[in-house]
PDB file of all heavy atoms in Angstrom:
ATOM      1  N   ILE A  44     -30.471 -66.472  25.364  1.00 94.00           N
ATOM      2  CA  ILE A  44     -30.899 -65.284  24.590  1.00 94.00           C
ATOM      3  C   ILE A  44     -30.008 -65.117  23.362  1.00 94.00           C
ATOM      4  O   ILE A  44     -30.481 -64.854  22.257  1.00 94.00           O
ATOM      5  CB  ILE A  44     -30.880 -64.027  25.492  1.00 94.00           C
ATOM      6  CG1 ILE A  44     -32.002 -64.128  26.541  1.00 94.00           C
ATOM      7  CG2 ILE A  44     -31.016 -62.744  24.677  1.00 94.00           C
ATOM      8  CD1 ILE A  44     -31.884 -63.162  27.692  1.00 94.00           C
ATOM      9  N   ALA A  45     -28.697 -65.326  23.557  1.00 94.00           N
ATOM     10  CA  ALA A  45     -27.767 -65.201  22.426  1.00 94.00           C
ATOM     11  C   ALA A  45     -28.080 -66.266  21.364  1.00 94.00           C
ATOM     12  O   ALA A  45     -28.027 -65.984  20.146  1.00 94.00           O
ATOM     13  CB  ALA A  45     -26.332 -65.346  22.923  1.00 94.00           C
ATOM     14  N   TYR A  46     -28.439 -67.476  21.791  1.00 94.00           N
ATOM     15  CA  TYR A  46     -28.760 -68.546  20.825  1.00 94.00           C
ATOM     16  C   TYR A  46     -30.070 -68.261  20.079  1.00 94.00           C
ATOM     17  O   TYR A  46     -30.252 -68.724  18.957  1.00 94.00           O
ATOM     18  CB  TYR A  46     -28.814 -69.911  21.516  1.00 94.00           C
ATOM     19  CG  TYR A  46     -27.417 -70.489  21.716  1.00 94.00           C
ATOM     20  CD1 TYR A  46     -26.901 -70.740  22.974  1.00 94.00           C
ATOM     21  CD2 TYR A  46     -26.620 -70.787  20.601  1.00 94.00           C
ATOM     22  CE1 TYR A  46     -25.628 -71.246  23.157  1.00 94.00           C
ATOM     23  CE2 TYR A  46     -25.340 -71.304  20.767  1.00 94.00           C
ATOM     24  CZ  TYR A  46     -24.844 -71.528  22.048  1.00 94.00           C
ATOM     25  OH  TYR A  46     -23.586 -72.027  22.203  1.00 94.00           O
ATOM     26  N   ILE A  47     -30.966 -67.513  20.711  1.00 94.00           N
ATOM     27  CA  ILE A  47     -32.191 -67.121  19.992  1.00 94.00           C
ATOM     28  C   ILE A  47     -31.785 -66.296  18.767  1.00 94.00           C
ATOM     29  O   ILE A  47     -32.296 -66.483  17.663  1.00 94.00           O
ATOM     30  CB  ILE A  47     -33.144 -66.308  20.914  1.00 94.00           C
ATOM     31  CG1 ILE A  47     -33.731 -67.212  21.993  1.00 94.00           C
ATOM     32  CG2 ILE A  47     -34.276 -65.659  20.096  1.00 94.00           C
ATOM     33  CD1 ILE A  47     -34.528 -66.469  23.062  1.00 94.00           C
ATOM     34  N   GLY A  48     -30.815 -65.396  18.979  1.00 92.00           N
ATOM     35  CA  GLY A  48     -30.317 -64.577  17.877  1.00 92.00           C
ATOM     36  C   GLY A  48     -29.720 -65.446  16.771  1.00 92.00           C
ATOM     37  O   GLY A  48     -29.973 -65.227  15.581  1.00 92.00           O
ATOM     38  N   LYS A  49     -28.977 -66.443  17.194  1.00 91.00           N
ATOM     39  CA  LYS A  49     -28.310 -67.307  16.220  1.00 91.00           C
ATOM     40  C   LYS A  49     -29.329 -68.156  15.441  1.00 91.00           C
ATOM     41  O   LYS A  49     -29.082 -68.533  14.296  1.00 91.00           O
ATOM     42  CB  LYS A  49     -27.324 -68.223  16.961  1.00 91.00           C
ATOM     43  CG  LYS A  49     -26.174 -68.663  16.099  1.00 91.00           C
ATOM     44  CD  LYS A  49     -25.039 -69.218  16.921  1.00 91.00           C
ATOM     45  CE  LYS A  49     -23.879 -69.537  15.989  1.00 91.00           C
ATOM     46  NZ  LYS A  49     -22.728 -70.045  16.707  1.00 91.00           N
ATOM     47  N   ALA A  50     -30.450 -68.441  16.077  1.00 93.00           N
ATOM     48  CA  ALA A  50     -31.447 -69.322  15.464  1.00 93.00           C
ATOM     49  C   ALA A  50     -32.474 -68.584  14.612  1.00 93.00           C
ATOM     50  O   ALA A  50     -33.342 -69.220  14.019  1.00 93.00           O
ATOM     51  CB  ALA A  50     -32.166 -70.106  16.566  1.00 93.00           C
ATOM     52  N   MET A  51     -32.394 -67.256  14.560  1.00 90.00           N
ATOM     53  CA  MET A  51     -33.454 -66.487  13.904  1.00 90.00           C
ATOM     54  C   MET A  51     -33.648 -66.851  12.428  1.00 90.00           C
ATOM     55  O   MET A  51     -34.766 -66.876  11.930  1.00 90.00           O
ATOM     56  CB  MET A  51     -33.177 -64.977  14.032  1.00 90.00           C
ATOM     57  CG  MET A  51     -33.685 -64.372  15.318  1.00 90.00           C
ATOM     58  SD  MET A  51     -35.310 -64.915  15.832  1.00 90.00           S
ATOM     59  CE  MET A  51     -36.351 -64.056  14.679  1.00 90.00           C
ATOM     60  N   GLU A  52     -32.547 -67.149  11.746  1.00 87.00           N
ATOM     61  CA  GLU A  52     -32.676 -67.520  10.325  1.00 87.00           C
ATOM     62  C   GLU A  52     -33.535 -68.765  10.167  1.00 87.00           C
ATOM     63  O   GLU A  52     -34.375 -68.846   9.287  1.00 87.00           O
ATOM     64  CB  GLU A  52     -31.298 -67.749   9.723  1.00 87.00           C
ATOM     65  CG  GLU A  52     -30.744 -66.500   9.082  1.00 87.00           C
ATOM     66  CD  GLU A  52     -29.480 -66.761   8.252  1.00 87.00           C
ATOM     67  OE1 GLU A  52     -29.024 -67.929   8.192  1.00 87.00           O
ATOM     68  OE2 GLU A  52     -28.977 -65.797   7.684  1.00 87.00           O
ATOM     69  N   TYR A  53     -33.307 -69.738  11.071  1.00 89.00           N
ATOM     70  CA  TYR A  53     -34.054 -71.006  10.997  1.00 89.00           C
ATOM     71  C   TYR A  53     -35.498 -70.809  11.435  1.00 89.00           C
ATOM     72  O   TYR A  53     -36.422 -71.359  10.865  1.00 89.00           O
ATOM     73  CB  TYR A  53     -33.390 -72.070  11.880  1.00 89.00           C
ATOM     74  CG  TYR A  53     -31.961 -72.344  11.464  1.00 89.00           C
ATOM     75  CD1 TYR A  53     -30.892 -71.745  12.127  1.00 89.00           C
ATOM     76  CD2 TYR A  53     -31.682 -73.202  10.393  1.00 89.00           C
ATOM     77  CE1 TYR A  53     -29.585 -71.968  11.754  1.00 89.00           C
ATOM     78  CE2 TYR A  53     -30.375 -73.425  10.007  1.00 89.00           C
ATOM     79  CZ  TYR A  53     -29.328 -72.802  10.686  1.00 89.00           C
ATOM     80  OH  TYR A  53     -28.049 -73.030  10.309  1.00 89.00           O
ATOM     81  N   ILE A  54     -35.674 -69.986  12.470  1.00 91.00           N
ATOM     82  CA  ILE A  54     -37.034 -69.785  13.001  1.00 91.00           C
ATOM     83  C   ILE A  54     -37.879 -68.971  12.010  1.00 91.00           C
ATOM     84  O   ILE A  54     -39.023 -69.306  11.712  1.00 91.00           O
ATOM     85  CB  ILE A  54     -36.990 -69.067  14.374  1.00 91.00           C
ATOM     86  CG1 ILE A  54     -36.275 -69.933  15.410  1.00 91.00           C
ATOM     87  CG2 ILE A  54     -38.402 -68.744  14.878  1.00 91.00           C
ATOM     88  CD1 ILE A  54     -35.943 -69.212  16.714  1.00 91.00           C
ATOM     89  N   GLY A  55     -37.297 -67.903  11.489  1.00 86.00           N
ATOM     90  CA  GLY A  55     -38.079 -66.971  10.644  1.00 86.00           C
ATOM     91  C   GLY A  55     -38.041 -67.284   9.172  1.00 86.00           C
ATOM     92  O   GLY A  55     -38.732 -66.626   8.396  1.00 86.00           O
ATOM     93  N   HIS A  56     -37.248 -68.263   8.741  1.00 85.00           N
ATOM     94  CA  HIS A  56     -37.101 -68.603   7.317  1.00 85.00           C
ATOM     95  C   HIS A  56     -36.772 -67.368   6.495  1.00 85.00           C
ATOM     96  O   HIS A  56     -37.346 -67.143   5.433  1.00 85.00           O
ATOM     97  CB  HIS A  56     -38.384 -69.276   6.774  1.00 85.00           C
ATOM     98  CG  HIS A  56     -38.774 -70.504   7.522  1.00 85.00           C
ATOM     99  ND1 HIS A  56     -38.042 -71.672   7.485  1.00 85.00           N
ATOM    100  CD2 HIS A  56     -39.795 -70.745   8.375  1.00 85.00           C
ATOM    101  CE1 HIS A  56     -38.597 -72.572   8.269  1.00 85.00           C
ATOM    102  NE2 HIS A  56     -39.669 -72.041   8.832  1.00 85.00           N
ATOM    103  N   ALA A  57     -35.906 -66.535   7.009  1.00 84.00           N
ATOM    104  CA  ALA A  57     -35.531 -65.316   6.274  1.00 84.00           C
ATOM    105  C   ALA A  57     -34.059 -65.019   6.542  1.00 84.00           C
ATOM    106  O   ALA A  57     -33.514 -65.470   7.548  1.00 84.00           O
ATOM    107  CB  ALA A  57     -36.381 -64.140   6.730  1.00 84.00           C
ATOM    108  N   GLU A  58     -33.459 -64.265   5.630  1.00 88.00           N
ATOM    109  CA  GLU A  58     -32.043 -63.961   5.802  1.00 88.00           C
ATOM    110  C   GLU A  58     -31.866 -62.889   6.880  1.00 88.00           C
ATOM    111  O   GLU A  58     -32.531 -61.850   6.832  1.00 88.00           O
ATOM    112  CB  GLU A  58     -31.462 -63.459   4.479  1.00 88.00           C
ATOM    113  CG  GLU A  58     -29.958 -63.611   4.453  1.00 88.00           C
ATOM    114  CD  GLU A  58     -29.390 -63.298   3.076  1.00 88.00           C
ATOM    115  OE1 GLU A  58     -29.945 -63.807   2.083  1.00 88.00           O
ATOM    116  OE2 GLU A  58     -28.404 -62.539   3.025  1.00 88.00           O
ATOM    117  N   VAL A  59     -31.008 -63.170   7.811  1.00 87.00           N
ATOM    118  CA  VAL A  59     -30.791 -62.250   8.939  1.00 87.00           C
ATOM    119  C   VAL A  59     -29.284 -62.105   9.141  1.00 87.00           C
ATOM    120  O   VAL A  59     -28.540 -63.073   8.952  1.00 87.00           O
ATOM    121  CB  VAL A  59     -31.436 -62.829  10.229  1.00 87.00           C
ATOM    122  CG1 VAL A  59     -31.087 -61.973  11.440  1.00 87.00           C
ATOM    123  CG2 VAL A  59     -32.937 -62.949  10.102  1.00 87.00           C
ATOM    124  N   ASP A  60     -28.842 -60.902   9.493  1.00 90.00           N
ATOM    125  CA  ASP A  60     -27.430 -60.722   9.860  1.00 90.00           C
ATOM    126  C   ASP A  60     -27.258 -61.273  11.269  1.00 90.00           C
ATOM    127  O   ASP A  60     -27.427 -60.568  12.274  1.00 90.00           O
ATOM    128  CB  ASP A  60     -27.070 -59.238   9.793  1.00 90.00           C
ATOM    129  CG  ASP A  60     -25.583 -58.986  10.049  1.00 90.00           C
ATOM    130  OD1 ASP A  60     -24.908 -59.938  10.513  1.00 90.00           O
ATOM    131  OD2 ASP A  60     -25.115 -57.864   9.807  1.00 90.00           O
ATOM    132  N   THR A  61     -26.939 -62.558  11.327  1.00 91.00           N
ATOM    133  CA  THR A  61     -26.929 -63.264  12.615  1.00 91.00           C
ATOM    134  C   THR A  61     -25.930 -62.663  13.601  1.00 91.00           C
ATOM    135  O   THR A  61     -26.246 -62.474  14.781  1.00 91.00           O
ATOM    136  CB  THR A  61     -26.595 -64.754  12.391  1.00 91.00           C
ATOM    137  OG1 THR A  61     -27.529 -65.272  11.457  1.00 91.00           O
ATOM    138  CG2 THR A  61     -26.702 -65.536  13.685  1.00 91.00           C
ATOM    139  N   ASP A  62     -24.721 -62.346  13.102  1.00 89.00           N
ATOM    140  CA  ASP A  62     -23.699 -61.801  14.013  1.00 89.00           C
ATOM    141  C   ASP A  62     -24.174 -60.488  14.649  1.00 89.00           C
ATOM    142  O   ASP A  62     -23.981 -60.252  15.835  1.00 89.00           O
ATOM    143  CB  ASP A  62     -22.387 -61.554  13.252  1.00 89.00           C
ATOM    144  CG  ASP A  62     -21.735 -62.866  12.846  1.00 89.00           C
ATOM    145  OD1 ASP A  62     -22.126 -63.898  13.442  1.00 89.00           O
ATOM    146  OD2 ASP A  62     -20.870 -62.862  11.966  1.00 89.00           O
TER     147      ASP A  62
END
Side-chain angles (χ1 to χ4, degrees):
Chain A
I44 291 165
Y46 279 118
I47 291 172
K49 207 164 184 179
M51 275 318 286
E52 267 190 359
Y53 300 98
I54 296 169
H56 303 291
E58 201 172 313
V59 174
D60 185 347
T61 305
D62 291 343

